[in-house]
Amino acid sequence: MKVLVQWASDTPGDYEEIDLNAGNRRNAWRNLPKRPAPKGGERLDEKGYVFDLVIDGIMFYGFDHVAVEPLGGNSIKVYGWTDDLEDEQTNYRWGEVWTIHPHRKDSRVGNQTNTHQVKTVYSEDLEDMAQYFPQETTGGPVQLRPWSEFPMPPEQLVRHGIWVRDENLWKRHFEVRRPVSWRDW
Amino acid sequence: MGTYIQRDLPKTSLSWVLDPNNRASLSASTDTAATLTSSRGAQTGLIATFSFVTPASDPSLTNWDGNFSAGLDATEAGSSISYGGRWGWASSDLSSGNGIAHQQSEALFTGTGLRTATATGVSWGLRSATDRFVFTVSSSNSNMMSAEDITLRVNTTDSYVDVPWSVGEPPPTDTPRPAYIGGGYYG
């Protein structure tokens, strides 16, 4: 399954496409450039901070950290989480884990080809997060679990996000990339 | 039983959807696929995000009771976006109404793909025959850090709204008079 990565950059570019399940490319994600968790003052003149990550049309945007793990059968697991409580907008640790499977025929939509996605949300404040539930993906109901159960991925798979505080630069990241659809997968 | 298609054009003056680009229309016919996109701010509750409305005096009925369903085709969506369908009405001049009067029976959707929203046994009370029918997609964003987008594909048969009345029947017209063949008096 392909993964679209857009790097945070002072010269933003379109998504870079990698395929995690094609032949010997299972390590393509872990081999991507990586920079340490930002502490402030970082320059965006080299790759390593993720601006956005798109898989099956789902945008994993705005997380402190993301990770992608190839599974068997052309499926992948995607992690996105936020745990930087010093950030002025973050009140508690929370995260999402998606398992994205290949498309399949779906009897609920006239046997058309459809996505097959499964999502679990983890939160340190279950009561606050519960206001957004119930939810369901094409793979079934979304589970809401305590943050303590978040399945932290191996460090080699983790890539960090970064605030792009310059508003014009932030906008340019969206302007330069192509629109995508789940049908592209 | 009839079917409307969620269309990107023509735009309308519906007031309860913030982005004028997402105040759109319902039609009996399809068109070339197009997309509508909305950005939802960080950690925002469920609000009307896209609304599709029929032309004035469509359906021209006072009894709208029955079963409703709608197909949603979310091509792109932020991972923390959830969304769902609602059915409502608007006055003929769009100055009033309630685009979210009845909500889908399913849990909110999240992720991308084709989804079916349903509401069965909906009771509207007595509607004005000049009222317009409305289908609204509401969305929320549970990400406390960032705004996230949702994009719907419209104009195709995947983006439909099924209603318990006939849709798109042409208005009654005079029966064409057959061409006169032969001679004689034609009166």
Side-chain angles (χ1 to χ4, degrees):
Chain A
M1 185 174 290
K2 71 180 174 185
V3 173
L4 302 182
V5 183
Q6 186 182 28
W7 298 108
S9 171
D10 50 19
T11 55
D14 197 359
Y15 300 113
E16 291 185 11
E17 181 175 327
I18 58 175
D19 190 339
L20 295 189
N21 296 86
N24 60 357
R25 296 180 181 171
R26 286 180 57 83
N27 290 327
W29 173 264
R30 74 170 62 206
N31 291 337
L32 287 176
K34 179 173 185 174
R35 297 179 64 180
K39 294 177 179 169
E42 287 80 7
R43 298 181 60 177
L44 300 178
D45 54 355
E46 58 180 305
K47 297 176 182 177
Y49 291 124
V50 172
F51 184 80
D52 204 351
L53 174 69
V54 183
I55 303 159
D56 216 16
I58 304 170
M59 296 174 280
F60 296 89
Y61 169 74
F63 290 105
D64 287 345
H65 321 279
V66 292
V68 176
E69 179 182 12
L71 305 174
N74 206 25
S75 299
I76 60 174
K77 187 169 281 192
V78 188
Y79 307 74
W81 71 102
T82 292
D83 59 2
D84 180 5
L85 300 188
E86 293 180 3
D87 188 288
E88 64 268 27
Q89 297 187 52
T90 309
N91 301 320
Y92 53 82
R93 295 173 181 85
W94 69 283
E96 300 175 356
V97 178
W98 289 72
T99 302
I100 301 174
H101 299 288
H103 296 168
R104 60 178 178 176
K105 300 288 185 187
D106 188 342
S107 61
R108 297 167 297 182
V109 290
N111 229 28
Q112 293 189 82
T113 298
N114 203 5
T115 61
H116 182 190
Q117 302 158 354
V118 178
K119 174 185 179 182
T120 303
V121 177
Y122 301 85
S123 176
E124 227 171 25
D125 188 337
L126 290 170
E127 186 177 349
D128 189 54
M129 190 59 81
Q131 67 183 298
Y132 301 99
F133 282 73
Q135 303 176 14
E136 64 178 39
T137 63
T138 48
V142 178
Q143 303 297 316
L144 176 58
R145 307 296 305 165
W147 171 252
S148 57
E149 296 180 11
F150 184 79
M152 198 60 71
E155 179 59 32
Q156 305 95 306
L157 300 182
V158 177
R159 295 296 179 275
H160 305 293
I162 191 169
W163 276 109
V164 177
R165 295 188 182 275
D166 181 310
E167 188 173 350
N168 289 329
L169 179 60
W170 176 80
K171 285 180 180 173
R172 280 213 301 282
H173 282 78
F174 293 98
E175 292 166 355
V176 299
R177 68 192 202 184
R178 63 186 184 273
V180 297
S181 163
W182 62 269
R183 290 182 175 83
D184 300 331
W185 268 260
Chain B
M1 179 88 168
T3 300
Y4 293 105
I5 301 297
Q6 300 155 37
R7 297 282 296 269
D8 63 330
L9 293 172
K11 303 300 186 195
T12 74
S13 57
L14 277 176
S15 59
W16 52 71
V17 172
L18 194 60
D19 185 345
N21 288 323
N22 294 329
R23 302 169 184 169
S25 34
L26 289 171
S27 167
S29 60
T30 59
D31 199 353
T32 305
T35 56
L36 298 173
T37 296
S38 179
S39 181
R40 299 301 323 282
Q43 216 170 23
T44 45
L46 198 64
I47 63 166
T49 309
F50 309 92
S51 258
F52 305 90
V53 63
T54 60
S57 298
D58 184 345
S60 293
L61 295 170
T62 56
N63 181 359
W64 295 9
D65 292 354
N67 300 331
F68 295 79
S69 65
L72 297 177
D73 185 355
T75 56
E76 271 192 288
S79 69
S80 305
I81 291 279
S82 53
Y83 56 97
R86 294 181 169 197
W87 293 263
W89 61 277
S91 61
S92 181
D93 63 359
L94 301 177
S95 64
S96 63
N98 178 1
I100 56 171
H102 303 283
Q103 66 182 14
Q104 69 182 42
S105 55
E106 295 80 11
L108 290 174
F109 305 136
T110 184
T112 57
L114 301 173
R115 315 305 292 269
T116 305
T118 61
T120 56
V122 176
S123 178
W124 296 84
L126 195 63
R127 295 248 53 84
S128 165
T130 61
D131 282 351
R132 302 170 185 241
F133 172 66
V134 176
F135 177 64
T136 295
V137 178
S138 297
S139 65
S140 67
N141 174 11
S142 62
N143 188 333
M144 73 182 73
M145 293 285 286
S146 306
E148 293 190 3
D149 292 353
I150 176 170
T151 298
L152 297 183
R153 184 174 181 253
V154 295
N155 293 351
T156 79
T157 54
D158 289 328
S159 304
Y160 64 88
V161 183
D162 280 347
V163 295
W165 57 80
S166 297
V167 172
E169 290 186 349
T173 57
D174 291 338
T175 303
R177 194 169 187 171
Y180 175 72
I181 301 173
Y185 178 76
Y186 179 67

